[in-house]
Amino acid sequence: MDKVKHKILIIDDDEFLLDMYAVKFKEEGFEVEVALGGKEALDKIKEGVCPEVVLLDVVMPGMDGFELLGVIRKESFIPASKIIILSNLGQKEHLDKGKSLGAADYIVKAYFTPSEVVKKVNTVLGISH
């Protein structure tokens, strides 16, 4: 029997990072959607993309990650999705802001390899390997 594929939406304005994380999550059996920035992510969500988990960068041009998270939560677009912030902003106020906006977790990019990010996502989803 096939394993259920978990669906992840990765949002970042850095194409290199998007590709790197997309490849890593696909290798781990995830169904991957990517969005280059907040506006593209919001459009995809409005079009019906409903991931179980969202990896969200904060520093992006136009609509930043905190703003996008606020809109997603306020409008209840994907209420069941777990949103994990993946950012280089590691100060306590950023972590607190992410949590207060409803993020399930906050990962500081500099401290985690892509493999560790996958493990963290699996933990948030309650998947053990």
Side-chain angles (χ1 to χ4, degrees):
M1 199 167 116
D2 283 343
K3 279 182 16 184
V4 175
K5 276 199 170 194
H6 293 281
K7 189 168 197 172
I8 186 166
L9 171 61
I10 306 170
I11 308 164
D12 202 312
D13 62 325
D14 182 324
E15 285 191 62
F16 173 77
L17 286 177
L18 266 184
D19 288 347
M20 181 181 71
Y21 285 113
V23 165
K24 195 71 204 162
F25 277 96
K26 282 177 185 160
E27 283 172 359
E28 296 293 327
F30 279 77
E31 185 182 323
V32 178
E33 274 281 348
V34 294
L36 198 58
K39 185 181 175 334
E40 185 179 319
L42 202 53
D43 289 346
K44 286 189 174 199
I45 290 164
K46 285 178 179 173
E47 287 163 14
V49 170
C50 189
E52 282 171 83
V53 68
V54 176
L55 268 188
L56 175 60
D57 185 26
V58 173
V59 181
M60 298 184 289
M63 179 185 286
D64 75 18
F66 289 136
E67 198 180 335
L68 177 61
L69 179 55
V71 169
I72 288 171
R73 289 300 182 224
K74 191 167 107 345
E75 303 290 339
S76 287
F77 282 132
I78 45 177
S81 299
K82 297 196 178 346
I83 299 179
I84 300 171
I85 292 174
L86 179 65
S87 177
N88 280 320
L89 298 179
Q91 278 81 23
K92 186 176 182 330
E93 71 253 25
H94 298 122
L95 277 72
D96 291 345
K97 184 172 184 180
K99 295 275 190 198
S100 73
L101 286 168
D105 209 336
Y106 196 112
I107 301 170
V108 180
K109 283 180 192 172
Y111 304 147
F112 289 85
T113 66
S115 297
E116 289 168 332
V117 171
V118 171
K119 279 193 190 116
K120 202 90 158 118
V121 167
N122 282 330
T123 302
V124 168
L125 287 173
I127 305 164
S128 53
H129 285 287

